[in-house]
Amino acid sequence: MTLDLPRPVFDASAPGGKDLGQLPEWDLTDLYAAPDAPELKRDMDWLESACADFAADYEGKLDTLDAADFLDCVKRYERIDVIAGRIMSFAGLRYYQQTTDPQRAKFLSDCQDRITTYTTPLVFFTLEVNRLPDDHLDALFAANDELARYQPIFDRMRAMRPYQLSDELEKFLHDQSVVGATAWNKLFDETMAGLEFRVQDETLGLEATLNLLTDHDRDKREAAARELAATFQNRIGLFSRVHNTLTKEKAVEDRWRGMPTPQTGRHLANHVEPEVVEALRNAVVDAYPKLSHRYYELKRKWLGLDKLQVWDRNAPLPMEDHKTVDWDTARSMVLDAYSDFSPHMAELADPFFTKGWIDAGVKPGKAPGAFAHPTVVDVHPYVMLNYQGKPRDVMTLAHELGHGVHQTLAAGQGELLAATPLTLAETASVFGEMLTFRKMLANAKDDAEKKVLLAGKVEDMINTVVRQIAFYDFECKLHEARQGGELTPEDINKLWMSVQGESLGPAFEFMEGYETFWAYIPHFVHSPFYVYAYAFGDGLVNALYAAYEEGDPDFQEKYFEMLKAGGSKHHKELLAPFGLDASDPAFWDKGLSMISGLIDELEAMED
């Protein structure tokens, strides 16, 4: 069987495809040539025996290993991680290209089932490591420098030690995961990918319908918003069941583990202190009036409306050109911006365009949104977009390529240390957006174009900071309310609306049906409490960019060293070379002041 994903080709099925130029598709052959490729079978067979051999060689014996033997153990564990990750990356990426294809869904599910079964014998490793005394592990690290490089991994394991269950329960949770959260995640994804929306005699998928909320035609925006509401309402029982089940499942596991709050697990995974997240959240909520409330009042005046409706939130400005940015232009805009910062950054990004590492077009059944998936350290990342030629799509390209550059640089750390916590994972992506925005702003031909660019950037930052913190507050309320029992769809709707007015401000009124818009946000399903990482990343990048603008001559070198560190360092250590500290409450005010300053510029242009 040959690979059914060709090298980059024109995708005529994409909305506006003839105007966008040649849109690339993934070439997954760097992972595997096909689902029945002999290399995939070889790796799956190797994985089964490698996991069994690992358990036979090390279970119950970790406390007897010297530093050299312990290093060998870690390297074998890491190699298993690489092979399992390679298989699941291939299966997952194929699935996200066409989530409605039952064969792709089956292949992904079968891979998940087999790998979960094969890796169950490895569950002992973390449990046994956490039974080793601290001084025992510290002595091993002191005896071997190569082993000591892995210490951050074990520090994170030890942070989870107070919440560790018995060996039997941990193995049970591992085994049943494929019919627990993973299954509900898949149900959500397949449901979303299969939704159809009828807008002005055109049948569209979710991504294309959401895109209409940025259309110049207000009637079309309203029609899209109302169709979204009607379709979500038709499935609201299913979406409520997904959220009720996942929230309860998490609560049960958290209770067994003794997690003090629903957010604790996410904070531990992000290697960030709860008080730092709380300081971020409070700073943003306190800033709502000077950020979103103030900006949307400006936008209300620009649009000539008494009140903004939800379909006006991301509407283009009246003075904005009805322009479509073709793919080649978008590529040049982003690579030029990257190159101005550092030619090396552009060199790292260029292969994504030339080697089939981007899937850009909108296609039936394709997963909505955009992401950069790192795959494994001996391959390369892949970027998914749903590119439709909007100026915001150019910023999304800059964002996801930033992730790709970060993941490429961090790969040198090896599989166990390459992955960054979510709070730092947004650093390069948001920085890439900022570079592209500043490049476009500098090239603006007049004040009208500058105003449009400034407003677009402010909206993006509000979506990244204000909206995500509102999402975080919604999740906190959702998980707290679920502790009191099953939530009806109306209960969840009320929780959603309780944060919307507060965050968006008095310029808005909300149509009937908007209360269901929580239903399509994938982060609530896939990664509880993920969303604050966006605000963390934006605030961090705003502070970083201020340091860059101040003219630090070594900034580029420090920046690349930070990205190369991957997940090997804590945020305090990574930010120290720039003179920054995220645990300082003033740090967040500095980042928010950048957004406020852009709004100041917009207000000044009104005079």
Side-chain angles (χ1 to χ4, degrees):
M1 177 178 178
T2 58
L3 179 67
D4 56 355
L5 304 175
R7 288 281 181 181
V9 295
F10 167 62
D11 175 23
S13 68
K18 63 183 179 181
D19 299 318
L20 298 181
Q22 190 167 322
L23 294 179
E25 292 187 355
W26 281 329
D27 177 358
L28 299 181
T29 53
D30 288 342
L31 292 166
Y32 296 102
D36 60 356
E39 293 83 2
L40 195 150
K41 182 182 186 306
R42 175 202 67 199
D43 285 353
M44 190 71 86
D45 292 345
W46 178 89
L47 189 68
E48 181 178 20
S49 61
C51 291
D53 291 346
F54 184 90
D57 291 344
Y58 294 116
E59 188 167 11
K61 305 169 188 173
L62 291 186
D63 60 347
T64 68
L65 302 179
D66 62 20
D69 289 338
F70 201 86
L71 176 62
D72 288 341
C73 172
V74 171
K75 286 184 172 180
R76 284 175 62 179
Y77 187 90
E78 185 170 44
R79 184 60 187 162
I80 288 170
D81 213 29
V82 168
I83 298 301
R86 189 185 193 107
I87 295 170
M88 289 311 304
S89 292
F90 177 69
L93 292 174
R94 284 187 77 252
Y95 170 74
Y96 282 120
Q97 278 191 305
Q98 198 173 343
T99 61
T100 52
D101 178 357
Q103 292 304 314
R104 295 185 187 221
K106 171 180 166 52
F107 179 70
L108 173 62
S109 182
D110 288 348
C111 287
Q112 285 175 325
D113 288 348
R114 291 179 67 182
I115 288 177
T116 299
T117 299
Y118 296 165
T119 57
T120 295
L122 305 185
V123 172
F124 83 90
F125 182 69
T126 299
L127 305 176
E128 230 173 275
V129 164
N130 278 346
R131 285 197 290 268
L132 296 174
D134 287 345
D135 57 358
H136 181 96
L137 269 178
D138 292 341
L140 293 176
F141 297 141
N144 188 301
D145 289 342
E146 190 176 357
L147 177 62
R149 198 177 69 80
Y150 290 95
Q151 183 169 347
I153 297 297
F154 294 95
D155 289 344
R156 289 165 206 159
M157 286 185 190
R158 287 190 274 186
M160 286 294 296
R161 185 163 46 189
Y163 313 110
Q164 188 168 291
L165 300 174
S166 69
D167 293 14
E168 292 77 12
L169 278 175
E170 292 288 358
K171 289 178 180 178
F172 168 75
L173 288 174
H174 180 87
D175 272 354
Q176 71 89 43
S177 64
V178 294
V179 292
T182 299
W184 289 98
N185 283 189
K186 192 183 299 181
L187 172 63
F188 174 84
D189 289 341
E190 291 172 355
T191 302
M192 280 297 167
L195 291 181
E196 292 186 341
F197 303 84
R198 190 72 178 166
V199 183
Q200 296 185 347
D201 299 324
E202 189 175 6
T203 300
L204 303 169
L206 176 62
E207 190 70 27
T209 307
L210 290 170
N211 187 63
L212 291 180
L213 298 179
T214 66
D215 197 272
H216 281 81
D217 184 341
R218 191 169 191 246
D219 290 341
K220 184 172 284 190
R221 296 199 306 270
E222 179 179 356
R226 294 196 182 281
E227 178 65 8
L228 286 164
T231 303
F232 294 155
Q233 182 60 45
N234 286 340
R235 298 291 188 94
I236 202 66
L238 172 61
F239 297 134
S240 175
R241 172 60 48 219
V242 170
H243 284 69
N244 266 291
T245 302
L246 289 173
T247 307
K248 181 63 175 180
E249 181 185 60
K250 185 178 189 309
V252 169
E253 184 172 334
D254 284 351
R255 175 165 52 82
W256 276 79
R257 292 190 180 282
M259 296 274 187
T261 72
Q263 300 85 354
T264 297
R266 176 63 60 201
H267 298 337
L268 287 168
N270 284 343
H271 322 140
V272 65
E273 301 76 16
E275 57 270 20
V276 172
V277 178
E278 189 67 11
L280 164 64
R281 182 264 172 199
N282 292 340
V284 173
V285 171
D286 290 345
Y288 284 169
K290 70 177 183 180
L291 299 181
S292 48
H293 296 189
R294 188 160 61 114
Y295 172 74
Y296 287 127
E297 179 59 25
L298 277 175
K299 186 164 189 177
R300 183 192 66 76
K301 293 177 183 176
W302 293 333
L303 294 176
L305 300 170
D306 293 329
K307 284 284 187 180
L308 292 177
Q309 299 289 343
V310 294
W311 56 81
D312 299 316
R313 185 171 61 83
N314 288 320
L317 300 186
M319 68 289 289
E320 188 171 333
D321 289 339
H322 294 238
K323 66 178 181 180
T324 296
V325 184
D326 65 65
W327 181 251
D328 286 343
T329 300
R331 170 183 174 172
S332 295
M333 291 166 70
V334 175
L335 290 182
D336 287 351
Y338 278 23
S339 184
D340 285 351
F341 172 73
S342 166
H344 182 48
M345 181 177 279
E347 290 168 6
L348 290 168
D350 188 66
F352 285 84
F353 295 96
T354 60
K355 296 187 176 181
W357 300 357
I358 300 177
D359 195 297
V362 178
K363 296 182 281 287
K366 182 177 176 180
F371 62 76
H373 179 58
T375 70
V376 288
V377 296
D378 57 2
V379 186
H380 54 75
Y382 283 90
V383 164
M384 192 193 84
L385 306 170
N386 278 274
Y387 189 83
Q388 301 183 74
K390 303 275 188 178
R392 274 197 174 94
D393 292 338
V394 179
M395 301 305 289
T396 301
L397 173 61
H399 180 102
E400 300 305 338
L401 278 179
H403 277 306
V405 167
H406 194 174
Q407 292 160 354
T408 300
L409 288 168
Q413 293 290 338
E415 192 67 23
L416 296 181
L417 287 167
T420 55
L422 295 177
T423 43
L424 297 172
E426 295 301 324
T427 305
S429 54
V430 179
F431 197 85
E433 278 191 75
M434 183 65 78
L435 291 172
T436 304
F437 162 70
R438 292 294 182 182
K439 175 77 171 179
M440 295 168 70
L441 192 66
N443 292 337
K445 62 181 182 292
D446 53 34
D447 283 348
E449 185 176 347
K450 182 178 180 181
K451 185 175 184 177
V452 168
L453 287 168
L454 280 170
K457 184 58 179 173
V458 168
E459 287 196 16
D460 287 342
M461 295 171 97
I462 286 173
N463 285 336
T464 303
V465 177
V466 170
R467 188 161 167 79
Q468 302 305 322
I469 289 300
F471 283 178
Y472 176 67
D473 277 358
F474 165 73
E475 283 192 275
C476 291
K477 291 183 176 187
L478 177 70
H479 284 257
E480 181 180 6
R482 184 65 178 88
Q483 293 175 13
E486 178 89 5
L487 299 175
T488 67
E490 291 73 23
D491 293 332
I492 304 177
N493 292 348
K494 288 176 183 176
L495 296 176
W496 173 255
M497 293 307 297
S498 73
V499 302
Q500 293 302 305
E502 178 189 21
S503 62
L504 295 177
F508 278 90
E509 64 182 23
F510 300 98
M511 71 168 187
E512 183 178 352
Y514 181 66
E515 65 273 8
T516 64
F517 274 45
W518 53 269
Y520 81 91
I521 310 297
H523 302 80
F524 302 156
V525 174
H526 292 297
S527 307
F529 306 108
Y530 179 112
V531 289
Y532 74 73
Y534 288 113
F536 193 110
D538 196 271
L540 188 154
V541 167
N542 288 343
L544 269 179
Y545 200 86
Y548 170 52
E549 287 190 316
E550 289 165 6
D552 181 345
D554 300 321
F555 184 89
Q556 280 87 341
E557 182 180 351
K558 292 176 184 176
Y559 180 74
F560 284 121
E561 286 303 311
M562 179 176 68
L563 300 188
K564 288 177 184 176
S568 66
K569 295 180 180 179
H570 188 268
H571 63 78
K572 273 184 174 290
E573 192 177 356
L574 287 172
L575 291 174
F578 302 95
L580 300 172
D581 182 0
S583 63
D584 180 356
F587 174 85
W588 302 114
D589 292 330
K590 184 175 183 179
L592 295 173
S593 293
M594 177 174 283
I595 308 175
S596 184
L598 295 178
I599 301 174
D600 290 343
E601 288 189 54
L602 286 168
E603 286 183 335
M605 296 175 80
E606 294 297 287
D607 299 334

